[in-house]
């Protein structure tokens, strides 16, 4: 009997039946564009911030016609084959740049952006919206409330607030990194009520962390009260700073450039040439990866260890000869701007960016959990005229949506599948002949 069973399985294997293996882990090697949709025909679509509302609904904050501020919602099918506009409002009739949109709770959303004031039109504004699961938008506090409804929004900086990066600290507390007066680096905090009707800056909680420059910000949470900021500082050099921000919104510097005046210790200059268009993401509990445009606007990815105390240890960086660690990855020798980096699986990451001639590019990488290895897997040119102001989000396990501006800065949303590499063995099985069928096992008799 045992011999019969063994021979039976040998016959099955000899007919070419597939045996699952680790080759089917998503290595990001296969990138396919599914659909391209011009979401505001003929209008601009810059300074994009795209977020998921529910399983198939997405909200997009962007600067549209005339640079005015808009919020639109869309449904995107799980396979990316359908993108449908649901609702759209002009929340600011003057300006809506440098957007950072986040969920407050349930169906309430907050937007930090650079809006109208004086001649520069770059003052700091916070607006709130109700966006339900169907994608319907109800303004709560917006600049254009006279036309769209709701009440006036909250102006937190009457001089300048560009390169916004807004994150949630707890249920009603939020931290914002931005470039303020003279382009200096600031971080501040707000309380926003669950219904979005109340917005207030936390008293005394504004920190000038860099008294020179603080642009191209990407702020992320490290643990319950520790936050890390990647930004472009003096002469556009690349820096990583850390802060303690408690649930009340009080900010304590840990490692910052302006430590002599504000306390803490010196931050990390990870790139001595440039670090613009930053996108910082968590790799594991204390490892972080940063995509940015470095020297000559080339595309780079670096890694760091940032622990719960806010200590920063370089792993793979450009400035390793001075600060330690090893050399980072220069993944694009022509250009690497407008970066948006997201996780695909445990060690695979997808990056949307503007590459050579500002063409829209999506590349995938494997980054080990300890940050000590970065390898490019695949690269896909999705828009040849232009692909700037990228904001990439995951739709389902292998489908992704990208908001970006193409030629003439017209706004698009495109969808992609990012899946495992199609192996040579799989190709051979499907192309050995054009009209043959796989053999079928009908009857087996084994006699010993």
């Amino acid at each position: 009997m045992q011999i019969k069973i063994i021979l039976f399985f040998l016959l099955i294997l000899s007919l070419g039946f597939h045996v699952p293996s680790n080759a089917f882990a998503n290595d990001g090697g296969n990138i396919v564009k599914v659909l391209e949709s011009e979401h505001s025909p003929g209008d601009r679509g810059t300074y994009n911030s795209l977020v998921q509302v529910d399983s198939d609904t997405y909200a997009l904050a962007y600067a549209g016609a005339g640079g005015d501020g808009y919020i639109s919602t869309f449904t995107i099918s799980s396979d990316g084959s359908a993108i449908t506009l649901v609702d759209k409002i002009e929340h600011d009739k003057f300006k809506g740049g440098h957007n950072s949109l986040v969920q407050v709770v349930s169906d309430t959303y907050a937007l930090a952006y650079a809006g109208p004031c004086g001649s520069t039109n770059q003052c700091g504004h916070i607006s709130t919206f109700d966006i339900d699961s169907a994608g319907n938008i109800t303004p709560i506090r917006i600049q254009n409330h006279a036309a769209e409804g709701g009440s006036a929004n909250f102006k937190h900086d009457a001089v300048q607030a560009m390169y916004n990066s807004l994150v949630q600290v707890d249920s009603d507390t939020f931290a914002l990194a931005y470039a303020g007066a003279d382009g200096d680096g600031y971080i501040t905090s707000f309380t926003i009520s669950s219904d979005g009707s109340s917005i207030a800056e936390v008293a005394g909680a504004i920190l000038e962390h860099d008294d020179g420059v603080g642009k191209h910000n990407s702020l992320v949470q490290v643990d319950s009260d520790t936050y890390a900021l990647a930004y472009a500082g003096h002469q556009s050099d690349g820096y990583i700073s850390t802060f303690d921000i408690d649930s009340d919104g009080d900010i304590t510097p840990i490692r910052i450039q302006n430590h002599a005046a504000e306390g803490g210790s010196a931050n990390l200059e990870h790139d001595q040439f440039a670090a613009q268009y930053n996108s910082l993401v968590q790799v594991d509990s204390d490892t972080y990866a940063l995509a940015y445009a470095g020297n000559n606007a080339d595309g780079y990815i670096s890694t760091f260890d940032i622990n719960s105390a806010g200590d920063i240890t370089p792993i793979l960086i450009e400035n390793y000869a001075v600060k330690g660690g090893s050399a980072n990855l220069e993944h694009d020798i022509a250009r690497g701007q407008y970066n948006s980096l997201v996780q695909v699986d445990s060690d695979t990451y997808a990056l949307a960016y503007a590459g050579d001639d500002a063409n829209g590019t999506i590349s995938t990488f494997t980054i080990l959990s300890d940050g000590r290895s970065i390898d490019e897997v695949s690269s896909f040119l999705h828009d040849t005229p232009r692909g700037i102001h990228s904001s990439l989000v995951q739709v389902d396990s292998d489908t992704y949506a990208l908001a970006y501006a193409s030629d003439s800065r017209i706004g698009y949303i495109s969808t992609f599948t990012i899946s495992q590499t199609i192996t040579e063995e799989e190709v051979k099985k499907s192309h050995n002949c054009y009209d043959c069928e796989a053999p079928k096992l009908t009857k087996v008799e084994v006699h010993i």
Side-chain angles (χ1 to χ4, degrees), residues 114-142:
C117 69
S119 60
T120 63
N121 276 342
Q122 299 288 6
C123 288
H125 291 257
I126 305 283
S127 291
T128 52
F129 314 84
D130 182 285
I131 305 175
D132 65 23
S133 59
N136 299 306
I137 308 169
T138 303
I140 302 171
R141 296 189 60 176
I142 64 170

Side-chain angles (χ1 to χ4, degrees), residues 335-358:
R335 182 178 293 189
Q337 298 176 321
Y338 298 101
N339 294 291
S340 183
L341 182 65
V342 300
Q343 189 172 34
V344 174
D345 70 5
S346 60
D347 62 356
T348 306
Y349 295 79
L351 174 65
Y353 70 98
D356 190 22
D357 292 327

Side-chain angles (χ1 to χ4, degrees), residues 5 10 66 85-86 99 121 171 199 222 280 288 350 353 375:
I5 293 171
L10 287 173
L85 176 67
V86 178
N99 295 296
N121 276 342
S171 59
I199 308 170
V222 174
L280 182 65
Y288 293 79
Y353 70 98
D375 293 300

